[in-house]
Every structure is written in C-alpha cells, then in structure tokens.
C-alpha cells in the first residue's frame, strides 16, 4: 500500500504531469498515492469518440502492450486487463494463437498465457478514465508547458502554461514535482540547460523506419485461427508486417520498412501489394475482400534515442523526465508502452523513500528499466544493412546470431519461450544463455 499523501518539498502537495499519453497517465497513477493533488496537462483536446488524436500520430498503427506492461497496469489498476477484454478487447494466446516469424523463422507455438490486443485510442481512453477516477487527480487539456519555474540554484517549483499560439495566456502553476512525459519532443533535457545544468548525453541510432496502417472489418473465420500475425524484417528483405485482431472484431494491418526504398506505400491500390512476399496469399485475399474502415495512415520514425540522465552529476530537485523523453525505442519491437509503465513503477518505488534526491534515484532505476530493451532493439536494428553506423562485420555477426536463435526457436519450445519472455519483457534475455537453450542455439550457428 502507498503511504498517506505527502505535502512534498515545499508544502504545496501538488505534482504536475506534462503529457497525457501512456507514460504520463502511468506517472499520474504512481504519484497519486504521494501527493494531495496531481494535475495532468495535455496540449491536445480529446475527441468525444475514441479516435487517434493529433499528439499521438503513431496511434493509428499496431500497438503492443506486452504481458510485462499488462502486469504493471494490473498492479496499478486491479482488473484493468479483464476490463478491457470485457469491453471488446481481444485476448490472444501468446505463441499458440499468434503466428510469429522473426528473422525468417517461425517461432514454435507454445501456450504462454494471454496477450491483450487493443488499439492505442481504446487503451488510452480507458486508462485515462481510470486515472481521472483517482482522488485528487485532474486533467487540463488544451495547454502546453512553455518554461520551468526555478527556485534559485536548487530546483524547480512549477511551470508556465499557455494555450498554444496564445502567448498572452501564460499562467504560472506551482508544484513540488514536475514530470516531463511529453514524448520524444519532451523538454526536460532542454530545460536543464536553461536552468544552468548540463544536458544529458544522448545515444541516437538512425533507423529510418516508416509505417503505413489500415483497419478492416473482416468476415469471421476468413483469416484462419490465428489472432495475430507478425512477420519481422530480415537482412535480405528489410520489410515487415503486423496483422492483429483488436477490439470489437476489427483488425489492423501495419506495414513497415527500413530505408526509403522500402517504405510502404500509402496509395490504397498499392498497399496490399507491398505485403506480397510477407503475408500468405489467402490472408491477402481475405483482406482484399474485407471492409476497410479507415484510410491509410503513415508515420515515420527516423531514429531511436536514449538520453542518459542517470550519468549527470548535478540535477535540479523537482523535475524528472519519463517515457520516450528518456528512451524512445524503434516501435517495430513493441516495447515502448511497457517501458513507460515500468518507469512509472520505478517512480512509485522511489517515492516510497521520500522526495529528497528523487531525480537521481529515479534516473538510476530508469536506466535499469531501459537497459535491456534498448540493447535488444538496437542490436536487432544494427543487423539491418540499411541502418548506418555499424561496421559490416558486426552487422553480419549480429544477423547470424539472430538467425541462429530464431531457427532454434522454431524447433525448441525452451528457446521459443526464452525469446518470447525477452521480447515481451516478462523475463530476462539471460534466459537465452541457460545451458540447454544456448546449446540449442549453437547447433544452428
């Protein structure tokens, strides 16, 4: 249980969360047991119906709430996964109802629990409703944070907010803690320099991935027994496809490719042709006969980014960054929402030890949460010849390692389980080094 709400460092008892995406909502939940008031500030205004909002341009594409992420949300909100399933979400058996092909090999089907498959708006709307039902939590939309308010050399005591495009609407809002959950464009790093601190060192890996997605209503049974199909990119074919059943029996197909020459088309007449060597012919036929219920949405992802706040020697009290503002992973690996939830869980752990030195303690916990997902995703990215900056010999070695692992996972249930646990963040990649698993992989080297 959380302790009674505190009044923070300076007695306002108020925390501000900038951004109402998955990371911001999870952060608000973590803060709600420690502050009398939590205000979530969002630049967007929210549509009356569940739809992709402007501030989440990737919201039309396949999203993956891994079992690790679902576990955190169920800890924060008991029964949350069951609630979404009852409201129309799809529960799919991990590996036994999902057809997954990584690096050219189909993972052996093993029953490993259930995966919740829903669209980003469906998940975010229901998560926001749960957060706003918490005592002392409120949402202010249509506002953006323009600058931090400093309290001398020691820290931050709030932010200035304004309506976008209306500089005369600025207001100052006091808070004991400000959480930057504004995504890749988060301003926490820039604010550090404006306050006289050093900016964090930044790791950036250019991947040049682009997506195109469309939602369909499919005649039941025409897509076969699988509730999801994931065909990953390979070195020889740097393109992939993800097809999942989501809420209310709708399906979404997301196509992606590394490098401009492999970006998927957005013209409806060419969209499914891009998947000709990805999806089986009967799947493409079923989609051609299905009813498209949206147009084709596109989204470009230029680079994976990690900001190493935990390496800074000096940090102001009262300001932290979370989620994609700390680490933005190539979304084809489906770990972003889960990592944000894990960071919010780390924030809650740190708050249990009081407010003093919170930023430093939090960033150390966050570094541990993002280390393995960053390592896995960037190693997979670096195996692609379209991703620059990797020595060709290292790229070939990584590609060979991934191919051997996935070939073993196609035959051996232990390897398939270890791969799934690593990808879904329910276990550690160290499982792949266990004697029996490693021996199976080495046989395919």
């Amino acid at each position: 249980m959380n302790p009674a709400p505190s009044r923070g460092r300076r007695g306002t008892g108020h925390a501000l969360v900038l951004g109402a995406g998955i990371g911001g909502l999870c952060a608000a939940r973590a803060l709600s047991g420690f502050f009398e008031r939590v205000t979530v500030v969002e630049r967007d205004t929210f549509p009356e119906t569940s739809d992709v909002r402007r501030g989440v341009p990737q919201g039309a594409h396949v999203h993956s709430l891994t079992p690790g992420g679902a576990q955190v949300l169920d800890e924060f909100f008991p029964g949350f996964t069951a609630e979404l399933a009852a409201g129309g979400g799809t529960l799919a058996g991990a590996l036994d109802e999902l057809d997954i092909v990584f690096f050219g090999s189909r993972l052996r089907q093993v029953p490993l629990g259930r995966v919740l498959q829903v669209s980003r708006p469906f998940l975010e709307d229901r998560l926001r409703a749960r957060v706003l039902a918490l005592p002392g939590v409120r949402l202010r939309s249509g506002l953006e944070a323009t600058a931090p308010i400093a309290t001398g050399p020691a820290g931050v005591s709030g932010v200035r907010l304004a309506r976008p495009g209306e500089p005369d609407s600025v207001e100052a809002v006091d808070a004991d803690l400000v959480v930057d959950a504004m995504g890749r464009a988060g301003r926490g790093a820039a604010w550090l320099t404006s306050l006289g601190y050093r900016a964090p060192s930044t790791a950036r890996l250019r991947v040049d991935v682009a997506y195109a997605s469309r939602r369909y209503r499919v005649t039941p049974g025409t897509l076969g027994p699988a509730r999801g199909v994931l065909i990953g990119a390979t070195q020889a074919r740097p393109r992939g496809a993800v097809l999942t059943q989501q809420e209310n029996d709708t399906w979404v197909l997301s196509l992606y490719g590394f490098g401009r020459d492999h970006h998927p088309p957005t013209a409806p007449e060419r969209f499914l042709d891009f998947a000709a060597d990805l999806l089986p012919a009967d799947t493409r036929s079923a989609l051609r006969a299905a009813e498209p219920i949206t147009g084709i949405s596109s989204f470009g992802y230029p680079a994976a980014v990690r900001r190493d706040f935990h390496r800074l020697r000096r940090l102001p009290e009262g300001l932290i960054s979370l989620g994609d503002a700390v680490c933005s992973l190539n979304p084809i690996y489906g770990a972003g929402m889960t990592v944000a939830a894990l960071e919010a869980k780390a924030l809650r752990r740190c708050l249990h030890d009081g407010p003093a030195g919170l930023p430093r303690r939090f960033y150390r916990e966050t570094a541990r949460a993002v280390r393995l997902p960053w390592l896995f995703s960037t190693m997979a990215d670096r195996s692609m010849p379209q991703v620059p900056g990797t020595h060709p010999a290292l790229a070939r070695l990584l590609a060979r390692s991934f191919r051997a692992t996935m070939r073993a996972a196609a035959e051996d249930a232990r390897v398939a389980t270890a791969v799934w646990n690593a990808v879904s963040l329910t276990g550690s990649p160290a499982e792949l080094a266990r004697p029996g698993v490693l021996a199976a992989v080495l046989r395919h080297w």
Side-chain angles (χ1 to χ4, degrees), residues 210-226:
Y211 281 83
S213 297
R214 193 172 206 181
R215 293 178 67 84
Y216 297 87
R217 196 172 305 283
V218 182
T219 302
T222 58
L223 285 173

Side-chain angles (χ1 to χ4, degrees), residues 9-10 12 14-19 27 31 35 39 41 145 147-150 155-161 173-182 187-188 191 195 316-322 347 358-359 362-363:
R9 292 180 295 125
R10 289 175 297 281
T12 67
H14 185 214
L16 270 172
V17 179
L18 308 177
L31 295 166
F35 292 85
T39 303
V41 178
I149 300 172
V156 170
S157 61
V159 294
R160 290 183 174 85
L161 303 176
V173 179
D174 292 334
D176 290 320
L177 180 63
V178 176
V179 179
D180 166 22
M182 293 183 283
R187 298 171 186 173
W191 284 353
L195 295 168
E317 294 294 317
L319 174 66
I320 62 172
S321 295
L322 180 145
L347 175 59
L358 175 66
F362 169 71
Y363 286 133

Side-chain angles (χ1 to χ4, degrees), residues 183-274:
R184 287 172 59 89
R187 298 171 186 173
W191 284 353
L192 288 180
T193 60
S194 73
L195 295 168
Y197 295 83
R198 295 180 66 90
S201 60
T202 301
R204 186 182 301 270
L205 180 65
R206 182 174 175 269
V207 295
D208 189 19
V209 166
Y211 281 83
S213 297
R214 193 172 206 181
R215 293 178 67 84
Y216 297 87
R217 196 172 305 283
V218 182
T219 302
T222 58
L223 285 173
R227 292 176 177 264
V229 178
L230 191 159
I231 311 295
T234 67
Q235 293 75 26
R237 189 210 62 225
R239 295 179 286 117
V242 186
L243 174 66
T244 62
Q245 183 183 22
Q246 298 189 331
E247 65 270 11
N248 304 319
D249 294 324
T250 59
W251 292 72
V252 60
L253 173 64
S254 288
L255 305 175
Y256 68 85
F258 286 85
R260 181 176 297 276
D261 291 342
H262 299 279
H263 290 174
T266 56
E269 64 274 12
R270 297 176 53 219
F271 181 64
L272 289 175
D273 292 340
F274 182 88

Side-chain angles (χ1 to χ4, degrees), residues 136 158 224 230 276 376 414:
L230 191 159
F376 172 82
R414 294 169 302 172

